[in-house]
Amino acid sequence: MYNPIPSLIAALGACTSPDPALRKAGEEALNQSKHARGQVVNLLRVSLEEGCDPAVRQVAAISFKNLVKRDWEAEGEALACMQLLGAAEAHLAGVRERASALPSSAEGKASPLAEEDKAAVRGVMVEGVTRAPHAVRVQLAECVRSLVYSDYPQHWPDLLPQDQARVSGALCVLRFLARKYEFRDEEERAPLEAVVNATFPSLLHIFQMLLAMDSSSPELAELLKLVCKTFWSATYMSIPAVLNQPEQFSGWMSCFHGLMTKPLPLDQLPADPDARKGWQWNKAKKWVMHIASRLFNRYGDPKLCSEKEDVAFAQRFQKECSLTFLQAALAQLAVLAQGGYQSPRVINLLLSYITQALAYSHTWKALKPYVEQMLLHVVFPLLCFDDEDAELWEDDPQEYIRKGYDIMEDIYSTKTAAMNFLHELCKARAKGNLDMLMAHLVGVLNEYQAAHPGAPVALARKMDGALLAIGTLSDVLKDKKPYSGQLEPMLVQHVVPLFESPHGHLRAKACWLAGHYADIEFQDGQGQGPTFAALLQRVMEDILWPILDRYTSSEGQDIFEEVMQLATYLTYFPPTISPRMWTLYPRMLQCVGDWAIDYFEEVLLPLDNFISKGTEVFLTSQTPNYLALTNQTLELVLCGDGYPEDQVVCAPRLMGVILQHCRGRVDQCLGPYLSLALRRLAPGVESQDLGDALMCVLGDALHYDAALALGALQAQGALQQALGALSTTIFASKKSGKMKHYTSPREKKVVTLGLISLIALPDAQLPPEVKPGMPQVTSAILRLLLALKQQQEEHKRRGSEAGSGNESDLEDESEEEEEEEEELSDEDDEVDDAYLKRLQRMAAKRAGAEDEDDDDDDDDDEYYSEDEVEETLHGIQHADPPRFAALVGGLEANVQAAVQGMMQYAAQLKEEQLQAAAAAANGHAVPPA
């Protein structure tokens, strides 16, 4: 009888020959016979034949694997499904079902492999994986996965072996079986539930047997890892019923604890750091810590569980395991304090476990005695700059910065895990711990200050860790006395000098830390005062330019917000903007147009700085033409489809920046800007913020040149429509009586200034259709001023209560005002009348008609808009009394009285300022009025 095995071995051997002709002949022979009856079985037999050449066995295993992956299932949708599963590691449970619904040109075409051959393969597959050498087992394990997904349970009901002696093969099969159902819903997981309940007792016995073995071989670690991964997949969605059996629960948890505390065979530790990532013992430790962290996270508190079975498991876990696992985690971390080794991923998971332990009183009590030693000898050293950091900083400092903002890096980073523990400890368990930690950090700061600039490398690395810790705790320190009052001296004494450090990583960390504390209240101004300006001016543009240059592009998508913050600082604080920085301007616009529309708000800040500080360059440059490029971006955003309204709102704000800072020099832009704004308003907008911002373009245009703006609106046939819409938004009210639109002080001021410019126009320049509505313009101005003053007073009251400070905060308070409006409606209706009376009273007081003791501590600079109104109305009153009478005569009596009071008050303030200036020039002091 013909035996095909010798010729098959010959062909396989030829495939390993160094002779290209022989290799080609062997490959052709295999290809011609790949679908022959018995070929797939024979390939498997050769791969398992112990007397055969190892190289031939490996080629046979590879050929078998390729044949199974390509031809085991029917072509078309089933094959496409397996390819998807292989590419995605079966990560999405529904891939097979979705793939089966796809049309296929080969739909219904049967597998070229005979069913009896496939049955023969299934019969020996598990045993084959068990006794194959590692090089062959790797290939066959992939085949097991393919067969599990394809054939179980319909075509392979006897998959699970009854003979548990075939340990390795059984584990491999169970792993792929559990993986198949890992992400399925409860109904689809029914086959797995039955298998788990049937096999987990035996699997536990195998686990116990493996842990009891007196061996440290990589093969043992591989088997332990397989057990853990099987448990992980089988319990991913829910706890199977078998684990609520007391002996099973105790057995599994004891095994996990045993693997957690099992010493690493460090004599086998690979010397190459990259090779250590694949070391089997590191992987086994990683997976057991994965399981411990997930169990603690899900079942650490029974009150957080809803299912009855989960509650029972959580109660047992809380009582029997949470403290035991915590002690094991602490013991593993203690190894680091003694100079021992743990893999970075394991360290990350160990810290994750003890961070979770801070949340529960029983685990916190157990953890508390070890906190100080762990902070000083484990957590803080992890924060410090190390050899790996130094190598990356030396090779690619930009990549070092980028990694600090990479979310995926954060997931696995030991530094991030240490930062999370530090922050959670000092926030949730601050008593005693925050003071102890800060004393240590201050000691490092002082030690470095004493040694600077000749500080040794080791001390510079400790200083880096101290800065990282202080930045991590920024939100805690800002709110915690006495630290909140010591932040400015800390920045000035310890951080500012680092901008000239010879250690580049310290310069970078100082920049990062300064950003975290940029919003604190400095003695000479909050955040943007001279102290902070001096602090940032110590950063040389030259240091940061490579980052800005590289990442102001699609390459910077992950850190674009931070890059724009750097650009904002470097265009705001220096006295002039360098030509090199100007090269970023068109690139920022290109980013917005291509992909960064979601970052338009961040891009707007440096654009504003460029235009306001470098107006001449902005307007006169022709190569590139910055104004033309800006206008192209404005048109793209306002006329394009699909842009989110919360980012489109930045386009009209950018128009306002140009009109405000380039008055009299961009007349050609006024009409197009108004046209773009009205065209965007025409179909309606869902966002009130966008609608108000577009109407503010009209306010900016009127303030830029009222006559030119009116003429442009007339030419577009939109004059009455635009002014009517503006009036409607100004007089629209909430139920409380407050203004519905223009919720920020900036918007109120922009519209007010535009209307003041409108009433300042002589009658001869007013279109006929506008003249009848001029008294209403006066009333609109007054309403805006009243609303602005009320908002400032509310902000001042809130600021005195919360210790807060600047006007920009008001923009964030509109939502809070909306929440309060129902309760404050009656009171709010009375505020306007109170303010009208108060204007009259202040004017009378200034004239000496009221008692000097009537307390009023309002800042004079808050009335700048009223000064302009007074000047405008006063000029009209003297130059054209009939027109003045027409402007105010139609107003209600109390509004007329308020206008008169405002004019008197503003005139008195101006007189006092003139007297003070004259006295100062003569060297005399003027007593207060």
Side-chain angles (χ1 to χ4, degrees), residues 259-278:
L259 183 53
M260 288 172 67
T261 56
K262 188 176 180 66
L264 288 170
L266 296 178
D267 57 318
Q268 302 178 22
L269 181 67
D272 182 6
D274 290 332
R276 292 177 180 178
K277 296 177 182 178

Side-chain angles (χ1 to χ4, degrees), residues 617-630:
V617 176
F618 176 73
L619 292 176
T620 59
S621 173
Q622 295 301 314
T623 52
N625 188 323
Y626 298 114
L627 177 59
L629 291 173
T630 306

Side-chain angles (χ1 to χ4, degrees), residues 769-804:
E769 58 265 47
V770 173
K771 292 180 181 179
M774 292 306 291
Q776 191 175 18
V777 174
T778 309
S779 182
I781 292 172
L782 188 61
R783 175 169 172 78
L784 287 162
L785 290 175
L786 295 175
L788 176 62
K789 181 59 183 175
Q790 178 183 341
Q791 191 170 9
Q792 290 169 333
E793 288 177 339
E794 288 179 356
H795 172 65
K796 185 178 294 184
R797 172 177 56 80
R798 287 177 179 149
S800 63
E801 292 172 357
S804 175

Side-chain angles (χ1 to χ4, degrees), residues 126 152 156-163 166 170 173-174 177 195 198-199:
V126 174
Y152 183 84
W156 203 0
D158 56 346
L159 164 64
L160 296 174
Q162 300 300 315
D163 180 7
R166 296 184 285 176
V173 168
L174 275 177
L177 191 60
V195 170
T199 61

Side-chain angles (χ1 to χ4, degrees), residues 397-631:
Q398 297 170 0
E399 176 63 11
Y400 174 85
I401 299 295
R402 188 203 65 78
K403 284 183 66 176
Y405 297 98
D406 190 318
I407 295 176
M408 295 307 297
E409 292 285 345
D410 284 350
I411 295 174
Y412 304 110
S413 166
T414 57
K415 276 187 170 59
T416 300
M419 291 163 66
N420 291 340
F421 175 77
L422 197 71
H423 184 270
E424 193 62 25
L425 174 72
C426 293
K427 197 171 183 70
R429 306 288 182 181
K431 187 176 181 181
N433 297 311
L434 180 59
D435 291 345
M436 174 268 296
L437 174 64
M438 290 307 298
H440 177 73
L441 297 178
V442 170
V444 174
L445 297 182
N446 290 334
E447 183 182 3
Y448 185 86
Q449 186 182 41
H452 184 73
V457 170
L459 182 54
R461 291 185 172 191
K462 284 177 61 179
M463 183 65 171
D464 194 289
L467 297 177
L468 181 58
I470 293 170
T472 300
L473 298 175
S474 60
D475 63 324
V476 176
L477 298 178
K478 290 173 188 177
D479 292 334
K480 205 82 170 176
K481 293 182 179 180
Y483 304 109
S484 58
Q486 300 170 355
L487 296 176
E488 182 178 11
M490 180 270 294
L491 289 172
V492 174
Q493 295 172 23
H494 298 288
V495 179
V496 170
L498 294 178
F499 293 135
E500 297 175 356
S501 169
H503 305 284
H505 64 92
L506 283 182
R507 296 195 301 269
K509 195 58 59 68
C511 293
W512 174 83
L513 184 64
H516 274 270
Y517 289 97
D519 60 344
I520 68 170
E521 186 170 352
F522 289 81
Q523 293 181 1
D524 48 16
Q526 180 170 344
Q528 296 181 356
T531 299
F532 192 58
L535 184 151
L536 281 174
Q537 285 173 2
R538 300 288 286 273
V539 185
M540 308 293 285
E541 184 181 308
D542 289 339
I543 297 172
L544 298 175
W545 172 253
I547 297 173
L548 292 167
D549 184 43
R550 177 174 176 178
Y551 293 116
T552 306
S553 66
S554 58
E555 190 176 352
Q557 292 188 34
D558 293 338
I559 56 171
F560 198 66
E561 183 175 352
E562 289 75 18
V563 172
M564 289 301 98
Q565 287 176 358
L566 290 178
T568 301
Y569 294 146
L570 294 177
T571 52
Y572 181 86
F573 289 102
T576 59
I577 300 175
S578 69
R580 179 169 58 183
M581 288 297 296
W582 271 103
T583 64
L584 297 180
Y585 190 100
R587 292 167 59 187
M588 288 189 290
L589 293 178
Q590 183 177 357
C591 289
V592 170
D594 291 348
W595 59 269
I597 185 65
D598 289 336
Y599 296 97
F600 201 173
E601 188 171 4
E602 287 73 25
V603 175
L604 181 59
L605 297 174
L607 294 182
D608 190 336
N609 293 339
F610 276 112
I611 297 168
S612 59
K613 293 191 66 176
T615 309
E616 284 300 317
V617 176
F618 176 73
L619 292 176
T620 59
S621 173
Q622 295 301 314
T623 52
N625 188 323
Y626 298 114
L627 177 59
L629 291 173
T630 306
N631 290 341

Side-chain angles (χ1 to χ4, degrees), residues 256-266 281-282 284-286 288-289 292 324-343 345-351 353-354 370 374 377-379 382:
F256 291 141
H257 181 265
L259 183 53
M260 288 172 67
T261 56
K262 188 176 180 66
L264 288 170
L266 296 178
W281 282 105
N282 273 344
K285 287 280 191 174
K286 177 191 76 172
V288 74
M289 281 311 306
T324 306
F325 285 5
L326 175 62
Q327 295 293 343
L330 290 171
Q332 298 304 299
L333 288 171
V335 171
L336 296 178
Q338 299 162 9
Y341 170 81
Q342 294 284 4
S343 76
R345 188 69 180 104
V346 170
I347 295 171
N348 177 286
L349 292 165
L350 289 167
L351 288 171
Y353 191 95
I354 64 170
Y370 305 99
M374 191 172 63
H377 301 293
V378 177
V379 175
L382 289 172

Side-chain angles (χ1 to χ4, degrees), residues 728-741:
T728 299
T729 54
I730 292 172
F731 288 100
S733 299
K734 303 176 184 178
K735 293 180 180 179
S736 64
K738 289 185 178 181
M739 289 187 67
K740 181 178 180 180
H741 296 272

